[in-house]
Amino acid sequence: MLENIKKIGVLTSGGDAPGMNAAIRAVTRSCAYYDIECIGIYRGFQGLIEGEFEVLTARSVRNVINKGGTFLKSARSQEFRTKEGRAKAFEKLQEVGIDALVVIGGDGTFTGAIHLQQEHNIPIVGIPGTIDNDINGTDYTIGYDTALNTVVDAIDKIRDTASSHDRLFLVEVMGRDAGDIALNSGIGAGAEEILIPEEDMGIDRMMESLMKSRKSGKTSSIIVVAEGEKSGKNIFELAEFIGENLTGYDIRVSVLGHMQRGGAPSCYDRVLASKLGVGAVEAILRGESGVMVGITNKIVTSVDFEVAIKGRRPLDKELRRVLNITTV
Amino acid sequence: MLENIKKIGVLTSGGDAPGMNAAIRAVTRSCAYYDIECIGIYRGFQGLIEGEFEVLTARSVRNVINKGGTFLKSARSQEFRTKEGRAKAFEKLQEVGIDALVVIGGDGTFTGAIHLQQEHNIPIVGIPGTIDNDINGTDYTIGYDTALNTVVDAIDKIRDTASSHDRLFLVEVMGRDAGDIALNSGIGAGAEEILIPEEDMGIDRMMESLMKSRKSGKTSSIIVVAEGEKSGKNIFELAEFIGENLTGYDIRVSVLGHMQRGGAPSCYDRVLASKLGVGAVEAILRGESGVMVGITNKIVTSVDFEVAIKGRRPLDKELRRVLNITTV
Amino acid sequence: MLENIKKIGVLTSGGDAPGMNAAIRAVTRSCAYYDIECIGIYRGFQGLIEGEFEVLTARSVRNVINKGGTFLKSARSQEFRTKEGRAKAFEKLQEVGIDALVVIGGDGTFTGAIHLQQEHNIPIVGIPGTIDNDINGTDYTIGYDTALNTVVDAIDKIRDTASSHDRLFLVEVMGRDAGDIALNSGIGAGAEEILIPEEDMGIDRMMESLMKSRKSGKTSSIIVVAEGEKSGKNIFELAEFIGENLTGYDIRVSVLGHMQRGGAPSCYDRVLASKLGVGAVEAILRGESGVMVGITNKIVTSVDFEVAIKGRRPLDKELRRVLNITTV
Amino acid sequence: MLENIKKIGVLTSGGDAPGMNAAIRAVTRSCAYYDIECIGIYRGFQGLIEGEFEVLTARSVRNVINKGGTFLKSARSQEFRTKEGRAKAFEKLQEVGIDALVVIGGDGTFTGAIHLQQEHNIPIVGIPGTIDNDINGTDYTIGYDTALNTVVDAIDKIRDTASSHDRLFLVEVMGRDAGDIALNSGIGAGAEEILIPEEDMGIDRMMESLMKSRKSGKTSSIIVVAEGEKSGKNIFELAEFIGENLTGYDIRVSVLGHMQRGGAPSCYDRVLASKLGVGAVEAILRGESGVMVGITNKIVTSVDFEVAIKGRRPLDKELRRVLNITTV
């Protein structure tokens, strides 16, 4: 265990995700456990540059494990993208004597961390916190499981009205680059079809799929559409296209939007965040740096930031197959 | 009690609302209680024209009280708007010997019922089922309380991400003619401002309100916007306008959409639906017709359909004042 | 408006209820609105005696409207039941210059308030906050609506397993003196029977009711039992008795317990708490004292504390009838 | 692929679990996909003996994915524990021409399946459905994730009232042999201590832990107690013991009970159930028998029934450590 680590800073950056508070709590409590001072840094890298610090004790993080969002707040920072900005940030860290950093966020966060670490040689460990599950080197990111439940719960509600009125709903869910939310919530909500960034199924196949489902006697349908899908049409244009080419369907659009980011974290996300928070502090104490701690086959592991942000796992083809079969 | 009522038909029409199933259940069970046969009519007035009937027994409505939507389904019917359509409908009623009708829905439903009743002299009693609470002669409509909880729950989630990122959110909720959902959920979710159909506060006042809230140190805000508000801009244009005229705000839009119609009904809506379901059958047995049963000061009462659909209560000014004060 | 009210204290006392935070928030914001200083008093009357005060500003109550419990905490106070204790309390109020008090709680709270007010002539206004809905002079108490939803949600879950296994469940809900929770949640959850303090239906009638429901082909059943019911047997003894006298039933007991007190308040409770919080401060400013503000037919009204605590409304017989009919 | 499999039967047995309906749906749809007839068997092995069969089509399982419980129902069967009972069951299978069985349940279910398969040489594949997660050879059982969320949600509510009143709560959760629910929900709900079957921490250590937490200034605490914990005292005796030996604590007990078994399944459980339902049918078609399909490192795998029921994984020590650290 490194003896020279006396003070660890922790921040959240990028889009917020349910479970971030649980991760901050675990980092704080782990520091307390190992007799290290924990410094909360507000507003991500921007707050780091501006020195928005606060000492966190075991008590500071009481009653946060069940709260959505991040009490340390998050922000985008143009300044941190510059060498000068990062130099300022490092200065602030030195001023208060922070020996190492835990950064919680997604690939943008880790990219920033790489630069800071390389330019100023300060130990940094990352924790994957994003609802998109688009980080390499971890089976799950914090917030993803909660977002799936939020989406499925919303689509359950939409299904109530869809089947009361024999309607076809297009439901847009988050996922600019990754179809994980759409694929899993599509299976979970019993959707008839999904449109995701990883495959360009072509509008033809979607129409086929709809016609098949209609022939089978289905009178109401749900199509889950990931933000980043590749049809070239936005969801309202898609609805219009279907309406023009498939008579008799009463079509509606629902864009779930930012509510997918909030809410009390699921038990899974709270436990995952607790594991990774402890794991991040212990990784620092083992002398690791420039790595993200993630979960692989239920074990906490570390991967280089470069690996974490480098492209992502391919789509889970097996799961795609399960959707096709169970949608019959 | 009328002895000649042996068979009562029940249908749902118009937009579905949580609690409609509970109302159908109560109608069915009340019929069983009074030894009357209950006939479920599928797909509203259209199904009535087409004779989509099914006998409902006490058992048919087991385990539906907690389900959103309506298992009898709902549909719009152009045909029923014509005299010929309604004549066909009446014929179907006579074919199976239905002596009286319970119709569950909103003002469109009751308008249809007025015509059918006047043209064919069949006893009809209505039950107000719509999330909009825009029916005269009842303190609450079935589904409204559930929708409020759904909206508040969604805005709670949005608030998590709003305050993590210091953002301003415009959240669109249902309410084409009535601001009840916006006003109540606005108070319940701690929104900073609301835009509703009943008042044209003018964009200037909204901007003032935002500037005031910003001066008071607020960094994140929620504005609840009813569909039918009168600014003349849609919600995306409103967001753009604010962005252009108030610097420093990071603005987002969220349109809650059809999920507001679904979900397991709240306890209040289940109880209300049960009361009104019983009340509707008993009104028929007392010889009433052409009326809607509603709830006034916790008592089940009847008002003529004409009253129910004639404009609505003015906005609850006291509640508007409560919002202003608690938003300080 | 009284000019001499410059400082108002607010406390919560007795069992906590969801919406208490919303009420504190509304009191605080109303004070801010009327330029009055608001002092939060921790731990109810005990904290008042010990002078646990904190200034509350509009900002202090941000993000509390959606939280269960009470951030001012609650406690029982033996000392406050004595004249000496109340004299100490009054001294503390004078020390910090508190001119009037808002007390949020149930009948125990109001009884304490009566004594304090009469002995020391300080204006006090009460707000009914208790899940039991057992206060006279208000249609609803804060927390009651939320508790109903919590109970109905829990019984919905129990019904899943009850009907999977063809079981009879006895579910105990809160209500030592009042059957409101049992009656409303019984209707809402589709229970077959309820046992409540207001009526001693006798075990015989319950057995009859069970036998009838069994004959009708029901294989699973829910009986909702209020804590304070009068059969003379506790719920486990009741289960045993049924088991011994009705063969073939697989019987289980579930005591819902304290989770009924917690959770995010429903929209209704948030709005009610906001109305009553504003109402309480305005009542003080109108010169009222020794009263509770409540809601009657949607209007905020005042009644003397003595009325509020004096026995309660009789059971809603109409609702009892609705349960009987819809349970057929 | 086996050509001789024309008809597959599916049943649920043992304690019900959320997600069982999703599993039945996936089995049914997979059969449809592979042009196999699917026969639903009601009431588990007892219904098998009594021939309670129903053809399931893709349509039969519409709108069940989000429902708790099992629509095929479950039951204990003494008769099936006898050789004669199983012979009768096999006869029934032959009568309707069922070529293979999918059984969804826990270790009791698989034990029954072993006997049936060995005595009558019929292909049987199992799916782990139990909230207890106490099955070997799968990382997760269907229903477990949902139960964790239900428990954490309930404890969140209890925590509201615990911290409002500075109370110590003992909360009993399911888990006769396995502490998985207690350990994970304990971390997720931020409990101070857990008591589980896998370790006999001794009451002394619990008392130490409580005294430590009290010294650290905690005024409210949650202890999560698994049904099967080994202190030798039941939860009410434990509460009494603590009350006698730790002054100043206001102690309450809450037994969560059967609501843990119900409720809409989480997205995770719906996806897991869908995967395993497809996996079970495909395992049969590959010629496997006497195995359970489970999930290991996100991959669907098979293990012999004997392995599945033979003792279970040891406690996750790493997770136990995470609880200790984050509870500081």
Side-chain angles (χ1 to χ4, degrees):
Chain A
M1 200 179 110
L2 295 194
E3 298 291 327
N4 58 328
I5 303 289
K6 308 263 188 250
K7 214 178 259 193
I8 289 179
V10 57
L11 61 79
T12 50
S13 164
D16 64 317
M20 279 187 161
N21 283 325
I24 300 167
R25 172 183 180 268
V27 168
T28 304
R29 296 266 167 105
S30 301
C31 284
Y33 183 85
Y34 287 111
D35 259 324
I36 294 164
E37 198 175 6
C38 185
I39 307 293
I41 301 164
Y42 283 84
R43 269 169 251 277
F45 291 128
Q46 189 57 35
L48 174 52
I49 290 174
E50 298 174 15
E52 294 188 61
F53 299 149
E54 187 180 297
V55 175
L56 298 180
T57 66
R59 290 185 86 155
S60 330
V61 291
R62 245 177 230 178
N63 294 328
V64 305
I65 198 170
N66 59 337
K67 306 287 187 301
T70 159
F71 77 90
L72 288 181
K73 303 206 168 185
S74 184
R76 285 170 204 288
S77 173
Q78 286 304 327
E79 205 178 346
F80 194 77
R81 297 188 175 199
T82 66
K83 217 164 177 165
E84 295 70 34
R86 293 189 295 267
K88 252 198 242 178
F90 182 64
E91 222 170 278
K92 288 289 179 188
L93 289 171
Q94 284 192 303
E95 267 177 34
V96 293
I98 291 174
D99 303 308
L101 266 187
V102 175
V103 298
I104 307 169
D107 52 8
T109 309
F110 301 153
T111 305
I114 291 173
H115 290 299
L116 182 66
Q117 187 229 351
Q118 286 175 349
E119 288 162 15
H120 301 284
N121 196 29
I122 176 169
I124 310 184
V125 169
I127 296 176
T130 161
I131 64 165
D132 290 331
N133 207 31
D134 60 350
I135 301 293
N136 219 6
T138 188
D139 288 348
Y140 298 100
T141 57
I142 297 169
Y144 170 60
D145 183 65
T146 305
L148 287 182
N149 284 329
T150 301
V151 169
V152 157
D153 184 57
I155 304 183
D156 282 354
K157 289 190 171 71
I158 291 171
R159 169 87 61 191
D160 282 343
T161 185
S163 49
S164 297
H165 286 275
D166 293 343
R167 279 181 179 152
L168 166 64
F169 268 87
L170 302 187
V171 181
E172 187 180 290
V173 302
M174 290 203 166
R176 239 177 264 282
D177 308 302
D180 293 51
I181 290 180
L183 176 52
N184 281 273
S185 68
I187 293 178
E192 273 69 35
E193 192 49 89
I194 59 168
L195 297 178
I196 51 177
E198 288 90 342
E199 51 182 22
D200 181 3
M201 64 183 298
I203 291 181
D204 289 353
R205 220 185 91 197
M206 182 190 66
M207 296 305 285
E208 249 176 69
S209 169
L210 279 173
M211 278 186 268
K212 196 184 102 193
S213 123
R214 195 119 152 258
K215 264 187 207 153
S216 86
K218 278 200 186 169
T219 50
S220 68
S221 293
I222 306 279
I223 298 181
V224 177
V225 181
E227 280 174 313
E229 64 84 28
K230 301 287 188 237
S231 74
K233 296 185 191 291
N234 73 33
I235 194 166
F236 296 97
E237 293 164 353
L238 271 173
E240 209 177 329
F241 180 85
I242 298 172
E244 283 164 1
N245 290 276
L246 254 185
T247 51
Y249 259 116
D250 188 16
I251 306 171
R252 292 289 187 281
V253 167
S254 188
V255 177
L256 295 189
H258 279 79
M259 56 169 287
Q260 294 169 81
R261 295 204 167 283
S266 68
C267 185
Y268 185 86
D269 274 331
R270 299 182 194 192
V271 172
L272 176 61
S274 300
K275 272 168 142 173
L276 296 184
V278 171
V281 170
E282 296 186 337
I284 288 174
L285 295 181
R286 275 193 313 269
E288 295 190 42
S289 178
V291 300
M292 176 195 81
V293 289
I295 197 91
T296 307
N297 300 341
K298 300 174 114 178
I299 306 291
V300 176
T301 49
S302 306
V303 293
D304 285 349
F305 277 142
E306 284 78 5
V307 175
I309 65 180
K310 190 175 53 190
R312 56 184 304 283
R313 294 176 304 283
L315 185 74
D316 184 337
K317 291 233 168 72
E318 174 57 17
L319 215 50
R320 190 40 166 126
R321 212 173 63 85
V322 166
L323 177 66
N324 294 346
I325 292 176
T326 55
T327 296
V328 165
Chain B
M1 202 179 109
L2 297 194
E3 298 291 326
N4 59 329
I5 303 288
K6 307 266 190 245
K7 215 179 259 195
I8 290 180
V10 56
L11 62 79
T12 50
S13 165
D16 63 317
M20 279 186 161
N21 283 326
I24 301 166
R25 173 182 180 269
V27 169
T28 306
R29 296 266 168 106
S30 301
C31 285
Y33 184 86
Y34 288 110
D35 259 324
I36 293 164
E37 197 176 6
C38 185
I39 306 293
I41 300 164
Y42 283 84
R43 270 167 251 278
F45 290 127
Q46 189 57 37
L48 174 52
I49 291 174
E50 298 174 15
E52 296 189 58
F53 300 149
E54 187 181 297
V55 175
L56 297 180
T57 67
R59 289 185 87 156
S60 327
V61 290
R62 243 177 232 178
N63 294 325
V64 306
I65 198 171
N66 60 336
K67 305 290 189 298
T70 158
F71 77 89
L72 287 180
K73 302 204 171 187
S74 185
R76 285 169 205 288
S77 172
Q78 286 304 327
E79 204 176 348
F80 194 76
R81 298 189 175 196
T82 67
K83 217 165 177 165
E84 295 71 34
R86 292 190 294 269
K88 250 197 245 181
F90 181 65
E91 218 171 283
K92 288 288 179 189
L93 289 171
Q94 286 192 300
E95 267 177 35
V96 293
I98 292 175
D99 304 307
L101 264 188
V102 175
V103 298
I104 307 169
D107 50 8
T109 308
F110 301 153
T111 305
I114 291 174
H115 290 299
L116 183 65
Q117 189 230 349
Q118 288 175 348
E119 290 161 14
H120 300 285
N121 195 28
I122 176 171
I124 310 184
V125 170
I127 296 177
T130 158
I131 64 166
D132 289 332
N133 207 32
D134 58 353
I135 300 293
N136 219 6
T138 187
D139 289 348
Y140 297 100
T141 57
I142 297 170
Y144 170 61
D145 183 65
T146 305
L148 286 182
N149 284 329
T150 302
V151 169
V152 157
D153 184 57
I155 304 184
D156 282 354
K157 288 189 171 70
I158 290 172
R159 169 89 60 193
D160 282 342
T161 185
S163 51
S164 297
H165 285 276
D166 293 343
R167 279 179 179 154
L168 167 64
F169 268 87
L170 303 187
V171 181
E172 187 181 291
V173 302
M174 289 202 166
R176 238 176 266 279
D177 309 303
D180 294 50
I181 290 180
L183 176 53
N184 281 272
S185 69
I187 292 178
E192 273 68 35
E193 193 47 270
I194 59 168
L195 297 178
I196 51 178
E198 288 89 344
E199 53 182 21
D200 182 5
M201 63 182 295
I203 291 182
D204 290 352
R205 218 185 93 198
M206 181 189 67
M207 296 305 284
E208 249 176 67
S209 167
L210 279 173
M211 279 187 267
K212 195 184 101 192
S213 123
R214 195 119 153 258
K215 263 187 203 149
S216 85
K218 277 202 185 166
T219 49
S220 68
S221 294
I222 305 279
I223 297 181
V224 176
V225 181
E227 279 174 315
E229 63 85 27
K230 301 288 188 236
S231 73
K233 296 183 190 294
N234 72 33
I235 195 167
F236 297 98
E237 292 164 353
L238 271 174
E240 210 178 327
F241 180 84
I242 298 172
E244 281 164 2
N245 290 276
L246 252 186
T247 51
Y249 259 115
D250 189 15
I251 307 170
R252 292 288 187 281
V253 167
S254 188
V255 177
L256 294 188
H258 279 80
M259 57 170 287
Q260 293 168 82
R261 294 204 169 281
S266 68
C267 184
Y268 184 86
D269 274 330
R270 300 184 194 190
V271 172
L272 175 62
S274 300
K275 274 168 140 172
L276 297 183
V278 172
V281 171
E282 296 186 337
I284 288 174
L285 294 182
R286 276 194 311 271
E288 297 191 40
S289 179
V291 300
M292 176 194 81
V293 290
I295 196 93
T296 306
N297 301 341
K298 301 173 113 178
I299 305 290
V300 176
T301 50
S302 304
V303 294
D304 284 351
F305 278 142
E306 284 78 4
V307 175
I309 66 178
K310 187 174 55 189
R312 53 184 305 281
R313 294 177 303 282
L315 185 73
D316 184 338
K317 292 234 168 69
E318 174 58 16
L319 214 50
R320 189 45 167 120
R321 212 173 63 84
V322 167
L323 177 66
N324 293 347
I325 292 177
T326 55
T327 296
V328 165
Chain C
M1 199 179 111
L2 296 194
E3 297 291 326
N4 58 328
I5 303 287
K6 306 264 188 250
K7 214 179 260 194
I8 289 179
V10 57
L11 61 80
T12 49
S13 165
D16 64 317
M20 280 187 161
N21 283 325
I24 300 167
R25 173 182 179 269
V27 169
T28 305
R29 296 266 167 104
S30 301
C31 285
Y33 184 84
Y34 288 111
D35 258 325
I36 294 164
E37 197 175 5
C38 187
I39 306 292
I41 300 165
Y42 283 84
R43 268 169 252 279
F45 291 128
Q46 188 58 35
L48 175 52
I49 291 174
E50 298 174 14
E52 295 189 60
F53 298 151
E54 188 181 295
V55 175
L56 297 180
T57 67
R59 290 185 85 156
S60 327
V61 291
R62 243 176 232 179
N63 294 326
V64 307
I65 198 170
N66 61 335
K67 304 288 186 301
T70 159
F71 78 90
L72 288 181
K73 303 203 170 188
S74 185
R76 286 170 203 286
S77 173
Q78 286 304 328
E79 204 177 348
F80 193 77
R81 297 188 175 199
T82 67
K83 216 166 178 163
E84 296 70 35
R86 293 190 293 268
K88 251 197 243 180
F90 182 63
E91 220 170 280
K92 289 288 179 188
L93 289 172
Q94 285 193 301
E95 267 178 34
V96 294
I98 291 174
D99 303 309
L101 266 187
V102 175
V103 298
I104 307 168
D107 51 8
T109 309
F110 300 153
T111 305
I114 290 174
H115 290 299
L116 183 65
Q117 190 230 349
Q118 288 174 347
E119 289 161 13
H120 301 285
N121 195 27
I122 176 170
I124 309 185
V125 170
I127 296 176
T130 160
I131 64 167
D132 289 331
N133 207 33
D134 58 352
I135 301 293
N136 218 4
T138 188
D139 288 349
Y140 297 100
T141 57
I142 297 170
Y144 171 61
D145 183 65
T146 305
L148 287 182
N149 284 329
T150 301
V151 169
V152 157
D153 184 57
I155 304 185
D156 281 354
K157 289 189 170 71
I158 291 171
R159 169 89 59 193
D160 282 343
T161 185
S163 50
S164 297
H165 286 275
D166 292 344
R167 280 181 178 153
L168 166 63
F169 268 87
L170 303 186
V171 181
E172 187 181 290
V173 302
M174 291 202 165
R176 239 178 263 282
D177 308 303
D180 293 49
I181 290 182
L183 176 54
N184 281 273
S185 69
I187 292 177
E192 273 70 35
E193 193 46 89
I194 58 167
L195 297 178
I196 50 177
E198 288 89 345
E199 52 181 22
D200 181 5
M201 62 182 294
I203 291 182
D204 289 352
R205 217 184 94 197
M206 181 188 68
M207 296 304 285
E208 250 175 69
S209 168
L210 280 173
M211 279 186 269
K212 194 184 101 191
S213 123
R214 196 119 153 255
K215 264 187 205 150
S216 86
K218 277 201 186 167
T219 49
S220 68
S221 293
I222 305 278
I223 297 180
V224 176
V225 180
E227 278 174 315
E229 63 84 28
K230 302 290 187 234
S231 73
K233 296 184 191 292
N234 73 31
I235 195 168
F236 296 98
E237 292 164 354
L238 272 173
E240 211 176 327
F241 180 85
I242 298 172
E244 283 164 0
N245 291 275
L246 252 186
T247 51
Y249 258 116
D250 188 15
I251 306 171
R252 292 290 186 280
V253 167
S254 188
V255 177
L256 295 188
H258 279 78
M259 57 169 287
Q260 293 168 81
R261 295 202 169 284
S266 69
C267 185
Y268 184 86
D269 274 330
R270 298 183 195 191
V271 172
L272 175 62
S274 300
K275 272 168 141 172
L276 297 184
V278 171
V281 170
E282 296 186 338
I284 288 175
L285 294 181
R286 275 194 312 270
E288 297 191 40
S289 180
V291 301
M292 177 194 81
V293 290
I295 196 92
T296 307
N297 301 340
K298 299 175 114 177
I299 306 291
V300 176
T301 49
S302 304
V303 294
D304 285 350
F305 278 142
E306 283 79 5
V307 175
I309 66 179
K310 188 174 55 188
R312 55 184 305 282
R313 296 177 302 281
L315 185 73
D316 184 337
K317 292 233 169 70
E318 173 58 16
L319 214 50
R320 190 40 167 125
R321 212 174 64 84
V322 167
L323 177 66
N324 293 347
I325 292 178
T326 55
T327 295
V328 165
Chain D
M1 201 179 111
L2 296 193
E3 298 291 327
N4 58 328
I5 303 289
K6 306 267 189 242
K7 214 179 259 196
I8 290 180
V10 57
L11 61 81
T12 49
S13 163
D16 64 317
M20 280 186 161
N21 283 326
I24 300 166
R25 173 182 180 268
V27 168
T28 305
R29 297 266 167 106
S30 301
C31 285
Y33 184 85
Y34 287 111
D35 259 323
I36 293 164
E37 197 176 5
C38 185
I39 307 292
I41 300 163
Y42 283 83
R43 271 170 250 276
F45 291 127
Q46 188 59 35
L48 175 51
I49 290 174
E50 299 174 14
E52 295 188 59
F53 300 149
E54 187 180 297
V55 175
L56 298 180
T57 67
R59 290 185 86 155
S60 330
V61 290
R62 244 176 232 179
N63 294 327
V64 305
I65 198 170
N66 60 335
K67 305 288 189 299
T70 160
F71 77 90
L72 288 181
K73 304 207 170 185
S74 184
R76 284 169 207 289
S77 173
Q78 287 303 328
E79 203 177 347
F80 194 76
R81 295 187 177 198
T82 66
K83 218 167 174 160
E84 295 69 34
R86 293 190 294 268
K88 252 197 242 179
F90 182 64
E91 223 170 278
K92 289 287 179 189
L93 290 171
Q94 284 192 302
E95 268 177 33
V96 294
I98 292 175
D99 303 307
L101 266 187
V102 175
V103 297
I104 307 170
D107 51 9
T109 309
F110 301 153
T111 304
I114 291 174
H115 291 300
L116 183 66
Q117 188 229 352
Q118 287 175 349
E119 289 162 13
H120 300 284
N121 197 27
I122 177 169
I124 309 184
V125 169
I127 296 177
T130 160
I131 64 166
D132 290 332
N133 207 31
D134 59 352
I135 301 293
N136 219 6
T138 187
D139 288 348
Y140 297 100
T141 57
I142 297 169
Y144 171 60
D145 184 64
T146 304
L148 286 182
N149 284 329
T150 301
V151 169
V152 157
D153 184 56
I155 304 186
D156 282 354
K157 288 189 171 71
I158 291 172
R159 168 96 52 199
D160 282 343
T161 185
S163 50
S164 296
H165 286 276
D166 293 344
R167 278 178 180 156
L168 167 63
F169 267 88
L170 303 186
V171 181
E172 187 181 290
V173 301
M174 290 204 166
R176 239 177 263 282
D177 308 303
D180 293 51
I181 290 181
L183 176 52
N184 281 272
S185 69
I187 292 178
E192 274 68 35
E193 192 50 88
I194 58 168
L195 297 179
I196 50 177
E198 288 90 343
E199 51 182 23
D200 180 4
M201 62 181 299
I203 291 182
D204 290 353
R205 219 186 91 197
M206 182 190 66
M207 296 305 285
E208 250 176 67
S209 168
L210 279 173
M211 280 187 264
K212 198 184 99 192
S213 124
R214 195 119 155 258
K215 266 186 203 152
S216 86
K218 278 201 185 166
T219 49
S220 68
S221 292
I222 305 279
I223 298 182
V224 177
V225 180
E227 280 173 313
E229 63 84 28
K230 301 291 188 231
S231 73
K233 296 183 190 293
N234 73 33
I235 195 167
F236 296 98
E237 293 164 352
L238 271 173
E240 208 177 328
F241 180 84
I242 298 172
E244 284 163 0
N245 290 275
L246 252 186
T247 53
Y249 259 116
D250 188 17
I251 306 171
R252 293 290 187 280
V253 167
S254 188
V255 177
L256 295 189
H258 279 79
M259 57 169 285
Q260 294 168 80
R261 295 205 169 281
S266 68
C267 185
Y268 185 86
D269 274 330
R270 299 183 194 190
V271 172
L272 175 61
S274 300
K275 273 168 141 173
L276 297 183
V278 172
V281 171
E282 296 186 338
I284 288 174
L285 295 181
R286 275 194 312 270
E288 297 190 43
S289 178
V291 300
M292 176 194 82
V293 289
I295 197 90
T296 307
N297 303 338
K298 302 174 111 176
I299 305 291
V300 176
T301 50
S302 306
V303 294
D304 285 350
F305 278 142
E306 284 80 4
V307 175
I309 65 179
K310 188 174 55 188
R312 55 183 305 281
R313 293 177 304 283
L315 185 74
D316 184 337
K317 292 233 168 71
E318 174 56 17
L319 214 50
R320 187 48 167 118
R321 211 174 63 84
V322 166
L323 176 66
N324 293 346
I325 291 176
T326 55
T327 296
V328 164

